[in-house]
Amino acid sequence: AITPSSRQLDLHAFHSESDPIMTATDDDAPARIPAGEEASPGLAARLRRFRTPLIAAAVVAVFAMVGFAIYRLTAEVKYDDVVAALVATPWSDVALALGFTGLSFCVLIFYDLNALRYIGRTLPFAPVALTAFSAYAVGNTAGFGALSGGAIRYRAYSRLDVPPDDITRIIAFVTLAFGLGLAAVSSLAGLLAADEVAPLIGMTPWLLRAISAAILVALAALVIFGSGGRAIRIGSASLTLPDAGTCIRQFVITLADIAASATVLYVLLPDSGPGWPAFLAIYAIAVGFGVLSHVPAGLGVFETVIVASLGQSADVEAVLGSLVLYRIIYHVIPLLLAIVIVAATEMRQLTRH
């Protein structure tokens, strides 16, 4: 991390105190090197030197991950299952699911906007929105979001003249923000709906409350500790924590995102399922396991948690049908739109050159 006013590769890039080379600034001022030591390029300089092959590799990596994600999705989602799920689901519920999908992806844009605000940069809204949408649509489906979505962010923000070290900080911010926000939302939901959630995940209510409270206390302590620009050390590197205002904004963004995406599946489920607060906790836990598995779109892992949690209160076949529709609406449709956006952008760049 780094203070918002700085534009050097500093704490956000885990600057080592043992590194004798001063980090280059944005205007490429020469690095000062102690006498007798040989010059070697810093991270930013190396990234600039290999910018063209890195961008080419990023584009290839993105399309390879998208292709693999599509392969996995088409292997898991069968046409007959989709048709059966559509027949069994009212079109009003499908329309609601599409609306909440759009809302969720609109909220996701604010991850990048908050990251840019944190590092002290301002960019036009339209390209940031398209970049964030494409990065999350690919990252959510291909897995390894920091790599797959990060490749899209590197390509897009490079065209906006954002230095490579700042792009790295943006990717790190959105990745950590989602992980910590997911932990906060799932813990808060588990704390408030422990009596409903605990039996569904095989725990006692008091144990779920204790775990949820412990996580919330730890996160609150992290926010308090980070106020005033404090830093934590990881070996010889240091990382400046975000201030309380940034943390609060990000928590609200993550809460809105998870609430909207959970509602996409909730409106598709049979009416015999649990209430929305309890389902929000179950959904957040399922998403967490899916992210940790690094399986594209959490395929299989996410479904296992949902079915295991709802199988006692709802018909399993109906839940599976709802999950099929959820995959199509929340993953496949945004992914296809992202492919069109990325391909159109790259084609426009090729025609310009």
Side-chain angles (χ1 to χ4, degrees):
I2 196 168
T3 54
S5 61
S6 173
R7 296 180 61 186
Q8 292 181 240
L9 181 58
D10 201 302
L11 300 179
H12 269 286
F14 296 98
H15 175 62
S16 174
E17 294 179 347
S18 61
D19 189 356
I21 302 175
M22 302 297 292
T23 306
T25 59
D26 287 342
D27 55 2
D28 295 330
R32 291 181 292 171
I33 306 170
E37 294 192 17
E38 198 175 68
S40 62
L43 175 61
R46 287 195 294 270
L47 288 174
R48 291 190 189 98
R49 178 183 300 177
F50 299 106
R51 178 173 178 172
T52 300
L54 281 174
I55 289 175
V59 172
V60 172
V62 167
F63 280 98
M65 289 179 179
V66 168
F68 181 65
I70 293 175
Y71 168 76
R72 288 295 300 266
L73 281 171
T74 53
E76 295 289 335
V77 178
K78 306 299 183 184
Y79 175 77
D80 292 341
D81 295 335
V82 175
V83 173
L86 281 172
V87 170
T89 305
W91 283 105
S92 58
D93 292 348
V94 174
L96 279 173
L98 288 168
F100 280 108
T101 296
L103 177 61
S104 175
F105 277 89
C106 286
V107 173
L108 287 172
I109 296 170
F110 289 90
Y111 278 85
D112 284 53
L113 293 175
N114 201 29
L116 288 166
R117 179 174 178 176
Y118 178 52
I119 67 172
R121 282 192 168 271
T122 302
L123 296 176
F125 177 79
V128 172
L130 290 176
T131 298
F133 171 82
S134 301
Y136 278 110
V138 172
N140 287 347
T141 306
F144 297 98
L147 178 60
S148 54
I152 290 179
R153 286 187 174 91
Y154 183 84
R155 179 72 175 117
Y157 289 137
S158 293
R159 288 196 296 265
L160 297 174
D161 297 322
V162 179
D165 51 304
D166 276 358
I167 299 175
T168 302
R169 290 154 59 192
I170 293 170
I171 295 170
F173 181 94
V174 298
T175 302
L176 292 173
F178 176 77
L180 296 177
L182 179 64
V185 172
S186 57
S187 298
L188 184 60
L191 189 65
L192 297 177
D195 291 331
E196 292 183 76
V197 176
L200 298 176
I201 58 176
M203 298 177 66
T204 57
W206 71 265
L207 180 58
L208 179 58
R209 286 193 180 96
I211 294 174
S212 299
I215 293 174
L216 290 173
V217 168
L219 292 174
L222 189 64
V223 172
I224 295 172
F225 181 78
S227 61
R230 288 193 179 95
I232 58 175
R233 290 195 169 277
I234 305 175
S236 60
S238 61
L239 176 68
T240 300
L241 297 173
D243 56 57
T246 301
C247 292
I248 292 172
R249 283 196 307 273
Q250 191 56 54
F251 172 74
V252 173
I253 292 168
T254 306
L255 176 60
D257 163 39
I258 296 176
S261 59
T263 308
V264 175
L265 178 55
Y266 186 75
V267 299
L268 297 172
L269 288 170
D271 295 335
S272 57
W276 187 83
F279 178 76
L280 177 63
I282 295 168
Y283 179 88
I285 293 170
V287 170
F289 277 113
V291 171
L292 291 174
S293 71
H294 290 301
V295 175
L299 281 171
V301 180
F302 177 84
E303 282 81 358
T304 299
V305 176
I306 294 294
V307 171
S309 301
L310 303 182
Q312 298 176 359
S313 58
D315 179 68
V316 174
E317 292 298 325
V319 172
L320 289 173
S322 299
L323 286 167
V324 169
L325 271 186
Y326 169 78
R327 288 295 187 188
I328 297 296
I329 293 172
Y330 193 76
H331 288 275
V332 175
I333 293 176
L335 177 63
L336 294 178
L337 289 175
I339 292 173
V340 172
I341 291 172
V342 173
T345 303
E346 294 303 321
M347 288 299 296
R348 186 171 60 183
Q349 289 296 117
L350 287 174
T351 56
R352 287 180 178 178
H353 295 288

